[in-house]
Amino acid sequence: MTIAEILAGESKNVEFKENLPEKSIKYMKSVVAFANGSGGKIIFGIADKTREVIGFDKEDVFKKVDAIANAVSDSCEPAIIPDITLQTVDSKTVIVVEIAEGRQRPYYIKTLGKEGGVYVRVAGTTRLADEYMIKELMFEGSNRYFDQALCAGLTISDEDIDTLCKAMREQAVKNARNEEQRTSIKEVGKQQLRSWGILIERDGKDYPSNAFAILTGYGGLHVATQCGVFKGTTKEIFVDRREYTGPLWKQIEEAFQFVLRNIHLGAAIVGIYRQDIYEIPPEAIRELIINAMVHRSYLDHGTIQVAVYDNRLEITSPGKLPMGQTVERMKEGYSKIRNEALAHAFSYMNLIEHWGSGIPRIIGKVKAAGLREPEFIGGEVDLRINIYRGQVGLKNYNSFNNANKVLDNNNEMPDISRKVPNSTMEVPDTIEKVPDSADGMPDTIKRLPDNEQEQQIYKYVLENGSITTAKASELLRVKPRRARAVLQGMVENTYLRKEGAARSTIYIKYEKAGV
């Protein structure tokens, strides 16, 4: 066996000890941390810093093996049974102590107790677990879900329950992918909420679980999504920052629209039609935000962070990966549910489709757009996923030399110098370049609405094909009369075209003849 073979696993889960310390607590912390995590190895007989193989004399190596086994048995609670073997490395004998991923979490050092003896692995080091992490381990060890636990201090009425049921059905209809799925949606009631763990029935009365508070935005649980735009590739200079609260489905939509407003939008000619194309596939963006919402740790008081940099979109989800989950397994489509009640609710609302399919689908859509595969970072404290913007590849994108950034809250034209470069890339023959106007300015840039309300409506129409007065009223959070006035103004300014009459009226994108 060689050092290279020993390190073939995850190096963050391998520790070296030159000798067997006199005080076992010096390595017992790592034993406990490995059991509380995804397992690991401690190799005695190899220098930590130099990786020099020191080895042990054959005369006393078995005494050291017995000492390690006794120390682990006497020091840890619940009991940890290590797999201890002798290996030959560079003709020298080393002791390999392998600790499996534990199921009776949290594991701790007896003499220190649960308050001060629970350790975890973070970025290849052993650290004392904080209060949130201990709670997370306790739920994992008891095979329970935090979102299905009683939400202390929150009282709800039958009206609150009915409001949630109605909102969930509306979301299910809105998110249905076709008419067949839409007509198959059933009403959701108290009994269904109880079976999912959103309601807890005791003595004939319904009480809210944490999932109820999380879904609705009620109660003392601060559940928010922070969004920001940063200049450059670090958080040193921010351009815009928002925090969204309220029902989860609203946070999803608001975060999604925030990203779309702050990435480049190009256009392509497909056949005889102009097609607006974002530099990052919108379906992948929305799926990532939904994935973060349903799989994050709500025991962790952090927030989901959605950050747009010059070179990437970064989404950070609080909390370590659930027991048994790894980044590699997640990318392969393995699903490990952390919030069972939320998962049922999201499935009913057609926010998630098939268990485990989200991440592989995101990877596929991003790669199909000519971008590099998303980057997955962390998993021990939080999980960060990066999608790099169009610099890497522009497959199916053609007019990013004229790429415009959809305006957010001001009337200034975006800095076109930050566009995605494509001067060295070939444009597919099947896609023609969007013609510029006579004065040299791209039509897509000249045709941007000049206020935030019109921009919101315009973006919705680009994504969905049309909009009604009722939807515009909901989107802008204004009365129908005001929404109708905004829509009429966009018609007069030839951003939109009105079709139909009375209740059948819809507004679609205005197209010039021949475009």
Side-chain angles (χ1 to χ4, degrees):
M1 188 178 196
T2 65
I3 293 180
E5 289 173 331
I6 291 175
L7 293 176
E10 295 177 286
S11 59
K12 67 181 180 181
N13 287 346
V14 175
E15 270 198 9
F16 297 105
K17 301 289 183 184
E18 184 173 336
N19 209 329
L20 185 63
E22 290 184 12
K23 294 183 178 180
S24 62
I25 196 169
K26 290 186 177 181
Y27 63 90
M28 211 53 59
K29 294 176 181 178
S30 294
V31 170
V32 165
F34 286 143
N36 283 325
S38 56
K41 295 177 182 179
I42 305 175
I43 303 176
F44 296 91
I46 298 180
D48 181 28
K49 294 182 179 179
T50 64
R51 299 295 192 268
E52 179 186 357
V53 180
I54 308 299
F56 297 104
D57 295 334
K58 293 181 181 180
E59 288 75 17
D60 64 351
V61 69
F62 290 103
K63 291 181 181 179
K64 294 185 183 297
V65 168
D66 290 340
I68 294 169
N70 291 333
V72 174
S73 176
D74 295 341
S75 303
C76 304
E77 187 73 33
I80 296 174
I81 303 175
D83 182 17
I84 306 177
T85 59
L86 301 179
Q87 302 285 345
T88 300
V89 180
D90 294 348
S91 301
K92 297 178 182 178
T93 302
V94 300
I95 301 171
V96 179
V97 179
E98 187 165 1
I99 308 298
E101 177 182 23
R103 300 290 173 180
Q104 295 178 282
R105 305 178 178 197
Y107 293 88
Y108 57 94
I109 297 173
K110 288 182 184 178
T111 56
L112 300 178
K114 283 187 181 179
E115 294 76 17
V118 178
Y119 287 84
V120 293
R121 295 286 287 184
V122 178
T125 61
T126 297
R127 299 184 186 179
L128 187 66
D130 58 21
E131 184 180 357
Y132 135 71
M133 188 67 73
I134 293 173
K135 288 181 179 178
E136 187 87 59
L137 292 168
M138 290 176 68
F139 273 98
E140 288 182 345
S142 58
N143 199 28
R144 295 183 297 130
Y145 300 94
F146 171 74
D147 67 333
Q148 292 180 334
L150 181 69
C151 184
L154 176 62
T155 57
I156 56 173
S157 64
D158 287 342
E159 184 179 354
D160 293 327
I161 297 172
D162 291 341
T163 299
L164 174 59
C165 291
K166 181 180 178 182
M168 288 177 63
R169 191 178 190 285
E170 288 175 353
Q171 288 300 310
V173 172
K174 174 185 174 183
N175 297 318
R177 292 163 184 79
N178 51 56
E179 188 59 33
E180 182 181 357
Q181 189 179 52
R182 189 174 293 109
T183 56
S184 67
I185 296 170
K186 298 179 181 178
E187 297 286 345
V188 61
K190 288 184 180 179
Q191 187 56 47
Q192 193 66 68
L193 296 186
R194 293 184 196 122
S195 70
W196 291 340
I198 296 174
L199 290 178
I200 300 171
E201 186 180 19
R202 293 183 180 175
D203 300 323
K205 186 175 180 181
D206 288 307
Y207 296 89
S209 69
N210 289 322
F212 190 102
I214 293 166
L215 277 170
T216 60
Y218 296 172
L221 297 174
H222 178 66
V223 178
T225 304
Q226 292 182 335
C227 298
V229 180
F230 300 90
K231 183 176 178 61
T233 59
T234 69
K235 289 184 177 178
E236 186 176 352
I237 302 174
F238 77 87
V239 178
D240 189 15
R241 186 180 296 169
R242 305 291 175 88
E243 181 172 294
Y244 300 112
T245 57
L248 284 193
W249 53 86
K250 285 192 175 181
Q251 291 189 40
I252 291 168
E253 186 61 27
E254 287 168 330
F256 176 58
Q257 294 298 333
F258 180 92
V259 175
L260 292 188
R261 291 197 300 270
N262 288 286
I263 62 174
H264 293 110
L265 174 63
I269 296 297
V270 180
I272 61 172
Y273 298 101
R274 179 198 301 271
Q275 182 176 342
D276 294 303
I277 305 176
Y278 288 96
E279 60 179 310
I280 300 174
E283 301 91 339
I285 298 169
R286 191 167 187 268
E287 189 102 39
L288 266 183
I289 295 170
I290 291 170
N291 190 77
M293 291 283 185
V294 76
H295 291 301
R296 64 155 288 183
S297 169
Y298 287 95
L299 273 164
D300 190 319
H301 297 308
T303 60
I304 290 172
Q305 295 184 338
V306 179
V308 180
Y309 298 91
D310 283 358
N311 69 332
R312 71 190 186 278
L313 166 66
E314 179 182 278
I315 297 180
T316 305
S317 179
K320 70 181 187 66
L321 290 176
M323 182 171 64
Q325 182 66 297
T326 65
V327 168
E328 290 71 25
R329 298 183 78 185
M330 184 169 57
K331 290 164 71 173
E332 291 170 359
Y334 175 81
S335 178
K336 183 72 174 179
I337 297 173
R338 187 201 298 274
N339 303 297
E340 189 172 80
L342 294 182
H344 283 299
F346 274 46
S347 180
Y348 170 79
M349 292 187 289
N350 293 315
L351 288 169
I352 55 179
E353 195 168 353
H354 302 294
W355 304 122
S357 65
I359 295 300
R361 190 162 54 244
I362 291 167
I363 293 172
K365 289 183 181 298
V366 170
K367 292 172 71 174
L371 306 176
R372 61 182 276 192
E373 183 173 317
E375 180 180 41
F376 295 76
I377 302 172
E380 296 167 314
V381 176
D382 56 26
L383 179 65
R384 181 169 301 164
I385 302 177
N386 291 327
I387 297 181
Y388 285 87
R389 299 173 68 177
Q391 296 96 316
V392 180
L394 294 174
K395 182 180 178 182
N396 299 330
Y397 291 76
N398 76 307
S399 43
F400 277 89
N401 275 334
N402 297 322
N404 63 286
K405 187 178 180 184
V406 178
L407 303 180
D408 193 356
N409 294 315
N410 56 61
N411 295 327
E412 297 180 5
M413 190 63 64
D415 181 4
I416 304 304
S417 66
R418 291 178 57 191
K419 66 184 181 297
V420 182
N422 71 343
S423 57
T424 61
M425 298 184 184
E426 294 183 3
V427 178
D429 292 335
T430 54
I431 302 180
E432 302 170 17
K433 185 176 180 181
V434 177
D436 292 348
S437 57
D439 59 6
M441 180 175 285
D443 221 20
T444 50
I445 295 179
K446 291 182 68 177
R447 296 301 303 148
L448 286 173
D450 57 5
N451 69 64
E452 185 177 3
Q453 288 185 325
E454 290 185 354
Q455 290 161 21
Q456 284 183 267
I457 290 175
Y458 194 63
K459 290 299 294 298
Y460 183 89
V461 172
L462 291 180
E463 286 296 304
N464 299 276
S466 66
I467 194 169
T468 63
T469 301
K471 184 61 188 179
S473 175
E474 176 188 340
L475 188 67
L476 302 180
R477 298 180 181 178
V478 298
K479 293 182 178 180
R481 183 177 178 182
R482 171 58 187 161
R484 195 176 296 111
V486 175
L487 290 167
Q488 184 56 38
M490 296 181 72
V491 170
E492 293 172 358
N493 290 321
T494 64
Y495 291 113
L496 300 178
R497 187 171 78 246
K498 183 177 178 181
E499 290 190 354
R503 293 186 178 181
S504 299
T505 300
I506 62 170
Y507 297 83
I508 65 174
K509 182 183 174 185
Y510 177 85
E511 299 285 1
K512 288 183 178 180
V515 175

